[in-house]
């Protein structure tokens, strides 16, 4: 039965195994099934012509006509005596085999070296002194002291995209050296941040195209209004606000089991494990406890809205940015138990206050009936109708309501559509805008629709248009 199914599969796809299939979650948008079907038909016709009739034959040509999307076990029962396999040029096969053997002999030592590094040698992580704290007591030319720490071996090791991506303004280990322009930008940030009174307008202007990783934590604190522009007041402000937050913990957190707070705490407790479930960092019990405290304290201090699903996502960018202030390398796999208690308390308190500042500007998104989101979705509809009437009419023709897809864009600030590393970069710009989260976000959502207008207009029914809007395009 398995053999019959396997043969049927290859008959449906192509005469050679490895036909191209949609891979969701890849860097590029999933393939259009209709285009795939036409491509397979055309390729079947081409493959029907014997390869011997071609003037040129090489391994590279063969690779271009096939895919490396092999499924284990699919070819176990395949009939290798079929004409599709007999038509391969024997010279191509011999040349390919020789090339593989030659490459294997050259790279023979490298797998052994990589295997020893992944299995035997522990991965080194570095805990560094907080750059914002350090700037309070040193000038911009000082370097941070770094002490090696080992990563907990029990955490899963997966080939995943880093949360804090290797963007152009980041010079983490393994990244390309910084260019002269990037070094100049970083130096300008450091000069602004170390001046007696930081020019916030100039800091916003510099932050709009992105903030260098090294200075992002202190920059976010300033742009969110958590820290004062005056450098002499920053140390006392941080100390006072952090103590104030943990005073809230002592005063209110024990009430989470009381009857009038049980529902709120229960919902938070349910939502926390769902926050970025594929990232090991957010599945650590200590991190989840931190998130529970942050969300519960915010909820009981804002009774007009309380806790609403979606607010849990808004903690993660702040937590990762403030964690990166103490940790180098792979943030998403870092074991937070390696940090000192003081470091963890600083990260937790700063995440709470910066998230609170963000929500102060969009709290009507989360009050009863969420009127803020209703207004923003309506504003998005009016904006798209003016800047791209064709897309707007396409939605109307197939009865696609903006609220059906844009509600989540407003409720979660596109965090379900973008990788966290992209969200962090986007928030550099949001924080540099006076009303970035409440108003500028609307134009980002409109830009998404314009960016993918061709794919949207290609769909010709309600379900297809809706799926096109929700699939995220592999960002």
């Amino acid at each position: 039965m398995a053999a019959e199914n396997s043969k049927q599969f290859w008959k449906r796809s192509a005469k050679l195994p490895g036909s191209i299939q949609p891979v969701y979650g890849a860097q590029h948008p999933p393939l259009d099934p209709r285009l795939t079907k036409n491509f397979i038909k055309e390729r079947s016709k081409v493959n029907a012509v014997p390869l011997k009739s071609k003037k040129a034959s090489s391994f590279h040509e063969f690779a271009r006509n096939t895919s490396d999307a092999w499924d284990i076990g699919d070819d176990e029962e395949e009939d290798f005596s079929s004409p599709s396999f007999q038509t391969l040029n024997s010279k191509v096969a011999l040349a390919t085999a020789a090339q593989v053997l030659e490459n294997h002999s050259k790279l023979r030592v490298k797998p052994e070296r990589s295997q020893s590094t992944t299995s035997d040698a522990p991965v080194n992580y570095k805990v560094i002194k907080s750059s914002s704290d350090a700037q309070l007591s040193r000038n911009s030319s000082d370097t941070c002291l770094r002490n090696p720490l080992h990563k907990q071996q029990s955490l899963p090791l997966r080939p995943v995209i880093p949360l804090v991506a290797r963007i152009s303004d980041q010079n983490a280990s393994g990244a390309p050296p910084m260019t002269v322009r990037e070094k100049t930008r970083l130096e300008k940030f450091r000069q602004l941040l170390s001046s007696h009174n930081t020019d916030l307008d100039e800091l916003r202007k510099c932050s709009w195209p992105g903030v260098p990783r090294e200075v992002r934590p202190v920059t976010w604190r300033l742009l969110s209004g958590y820290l004062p522009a005056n450098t002499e007041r920053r140390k006392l402000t941080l100390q006072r606000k952090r103590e104030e937050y943990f005073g809230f913990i002592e005063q209110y957190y024990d009430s989470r089991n009381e009857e009038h707070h049980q529902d709120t705490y229960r919902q938070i407790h349910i939502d926390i494990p769902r926050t970025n479930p594929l990232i090991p960092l957010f599945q650590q019990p200590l991190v989840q406890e931190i998130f529970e405290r942050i969300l519960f304290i915010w909820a009981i201090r804002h009774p007009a809205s309380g806790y609403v699903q979606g607010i849990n996502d808004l903690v993660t960018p702040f937590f990762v940015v403030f964690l990166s202030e103490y940790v180098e390398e792979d943030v998403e796999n870092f074991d937070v138990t390696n940090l000192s208690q003081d470091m963890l308390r600083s990260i937790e308190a700063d995440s709470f206050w910066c998230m609170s500042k963000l929500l102060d500007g969009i709290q009507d998104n989360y009050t009863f009936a969420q009127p803020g989101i209703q207004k923003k979705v309506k504003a998005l509809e009016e904006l798209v109708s003016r800047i791209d009437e064709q897309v707007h009419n396409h939605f109307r023709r197939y009865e696609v309501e903006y609220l059906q897809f844009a509600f989540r864009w407003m409720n979660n600030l596109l965090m379900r559509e973008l990788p966290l590393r992209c969200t962090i970069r986007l928030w550099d710009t949001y924080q540099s805008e006076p009303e970035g989260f409440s108003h500028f976000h609307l134009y980002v959502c409109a830009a998404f629709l314009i960016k993918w207008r061709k794919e949207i207009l290609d769909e010709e029914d309600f379900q297809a248009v809706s799926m096109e809007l929700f699939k995220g395009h592999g960002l």
Side-chain angles (χ1 to χ4, degrees):
M1 187 65 182
E4 293 178 1
N5 291 337
S6 179
K7 292 179 181 179
Q8 290 293 331
F9 172 76
W10 298 123
K11 289 178 181 178
R12 286 198 309 269
S13 302
K15 291 201 174 185
L16 288 175
S19 60
I20 297 176
Q21 303 177 31
V23 180
Y24 289 87
Q27 282 189 332
H28 303 286
L31 295 176
D32 189 332
R34 295 171 297 180
L35 296 177
T36 306
K37 187 181 297 183
N38 295 335
F39 172 76
I40 291 173
K41 289 181 180 178
E42 293 175 2
R43 202 180 69 178
S44 299
K45 294 178 182 179
V46 174
N47 289 338
V49 179
L51 295 178
K52 293 181 180 180
S53 63
K54 296 183 179 180
K55 293 182 179 181
S57 179
S58 68
F59 172 73
H60 295 291
E61 291 182 1
F62 173 72
R64 283 197 297 268
N65 291 316
T66 58
S67 168
D68 60 354
W70 290 81
D71 293 326
I72 298 175
D74 284 345
D75 57 335
E76 292 178 357
E77 303 295 335
E78 189 66 39
D79 185 6
F80 289 91
S81 63
S82 62
S84 62
F85 290 95
Q86 293 176 354
T87 55
L88 294 179
N89 194 319
S90 59
K91 293 183 179 180
V92 175
L94 292 174
T96 302
Q99 183 176 351
V100 170
L101 292 173
E102 183 181 356
N103 292 340
H104 180 73
S105 62
K106 290 180 180 179
L107 303 175
R108 191 171 181 179
V109 182
K110 291 185 179 180
E112 298 175 358
R113 186 183 305 163
S114 62
Q115 184 178 3
S116 63
T117 58
T118 56
S119 59
D120 299 330
V123 180
N124 288 332
Y125 285 85
K126 297 181 180 180
V127 175
I128 62 178
K129 186 177 180 181
S130 167
S131 59
S132 63
D133 292 341
Q135 284 179 349
L136 301 175
S137 58
R138 63 169 175 80
N139 58 34
S140 61
S141 63
D142 292 337
T143 57
C144 297
L145 297 176
R146 310 175 190 272
N147 297 318
L149 273 181
H150 296 300
K151 188 183 75 169
Q152 187 181 31
Q153 295 298 313
S154 61
L155 292 178
L157 294 174
R158 301 178 291 110
V160 292
I161 301 175
L163 292 179
V164 184
R166 306 298 192 191
I167 56 179
S168 60
D169 59 5
Q170 181 177 332
N171 191 29
S173 177
M178 297 177 69
T179 64
V180 175
R181 179 177 176 274
E182 292 162 359
K183 290 179 179 178
T184 303
R185 287 190 72 239
L186 179 58
E187 184 60 29
K188 185 172 183 178
F189 269 94
R190 285 177 170 161
Q191 289 177 0
L192 281 169
L193 296 172
S194 61
S195 61
H196 182 70
N197 283 295
T198 300
D199 186 343
L200 295 181
D201 291 335
E202 185 65 22
L203 184 62
R204 290 189 183 97
K205 182 180 178 181
C206 293
S207 300
W208 208 96
V211 181
R213 180 182 188 269
E214 294 84 349
V215 294
R216 181 175 280 133
V218 65
T219 302
W220 278 26
R221 291 187 184 101
L222 285 165
L223 294 180
S224 65
Y226 174 43
L227 275 186
N230 186 284
T231 54
E232 295 178 356
R233 295 172 51 204
R234 291 178 191 173
K235 184 175 182 179
L236 292 176
T237 300
L238 280 176
Q239 182 179 352
R240 176 173 56 83
K241 298 298 285 186
R242 289 168 179 173
E243 290 176 356
E244 184 179 354
Y245 169 72
F246 284 101
F248 294 152
I249 297 292
E250 294 178 5
Q251 185 176 357
Y252 299 116
Y253 194 61
D254 288 340
S255 67
R256 66 189 183 278
N257 295 318
E258 296 177 4
E259 185 176 356
H260 57 289
H261 290 320
Q262 279 183 352
D263 292 341
T264 298
Y265 179 73
R266 184 183 299 112
Q267 188 60 58
I268 292 173
H269 189 72
I270 291 172
D271 289 346
I272 291 300
R274 300 173 181 172
T275 305
N276 293 299
L278 300 180
I279 298 176
L281 173 67
F282 300 116
Q283 300 310 305
Q284 298 179 43
L286 185 55
V287 174
Q288 294 184 356
E289 291 173 10
I290 291 173
F291 277 38
E292 284 184 0
R293 288 194 294 269
I294 291 174
L295 295 172
F296 181 77
I297 296 302
W298 187 89
I300 64 174
R301 294 189 73 245
H302 297 80
S305 62
Y307 172 76
V308 178
Q309 286 181 307
I311 295 179
N312 55 305
D313 289 325
L314 306 183
V315 185
T316 55
F318 293 114
F319 185 84
V320 168
V321 167
F322 297 140
L323 175 63
S324 68
E325 192 170 22
Y326 300 98
V327 178
E328 282 192 331
E329 306 295 339
D330 188 7
V331 177
E332 68 178 6
N333 284 303
F334 182 76
D335 179 12
V336 297
T337 60
N338 286 323
L339 296 176
S340 68
Q341 188 67 22
D342 288 341
M343 291 178 179
L344 290 173
R345 287 169 65 90
S346 298
I347 294 170
E348 179 176 348
D350 293 354
S351 299
F352 169 81
W353 287 115
C354 287
M355 185 198 73
S356 298
K357 293 289 186 179
L358 184 160
L359 289 171
D360 285 346
I362 58 172
Q363 191 172 355
D364 60 346
N365 284 11
Y366 306 103
T367 54
F368 178 75
Q370 300 183 273
I373 292 180
Q374 304 282 347
K375 293 177 183 177
K376 290 179 176 64
V377 171
K378 185 63 178 176
L380 177 64
E381 181 177 356
E382 294 176 356
L383 178 61
V384 174
S385 69
R386 294 200 304 269
I387 63 177
D388 199 326
E389 188 176 0
Q390 188 178 4
V391 169
H392 177 70
N393 291 335
H394 191 71
F395 289 153
R396 296 183 63 183
R397 178 182 179 184
Y398 296 107
E399 300 180 343
V400 175
E401 299 291 338
Y402 283 78
L403 195 64
Q404 293 168 339
F405 63 87
F407 180 89
R408 191 173 75 171
W409 294 5
M410 304 300 176
N411 189 62
N412 301 93
L413 298 177
L414 290 172
M415 290 194 62
R416 300 288 177 88
E417 281 67 37
L418 295 170
L420 189 52
R421 71 188 192 280
C422 295
T423 298
I424 291 172
R425 167 60 190 89
L426 183 61
W427 283 21
D428 288 342
T429 302
Y430 281 5
Q431 303 239 39
S432 66
E433 288 284 332
E435 296 179 319
F437 294 98
S438 59
H439 289 77
F440 186 76
H441 177 70
L442 173 70
Y443 296 93
V444 174
C445 293
F448 265 55
L449 293 175
I450 304 307
K451 169 67 177 177
W452 305 111
R453 68 184 309 274
K454 182 180 182 300
E455 290 80 1
I456 293 171
L457 295 174
D458 285 344
E459 305 298 345
E460 298 179 348
D461 60 70
F462 172 84
Q463 183 177 0
V465 173
S466 299
M467 292 299 295
E468 185 67 31
L469 291 166
F470 278 110
K471 68 186 182 182
H473 295 281
L475 287 170

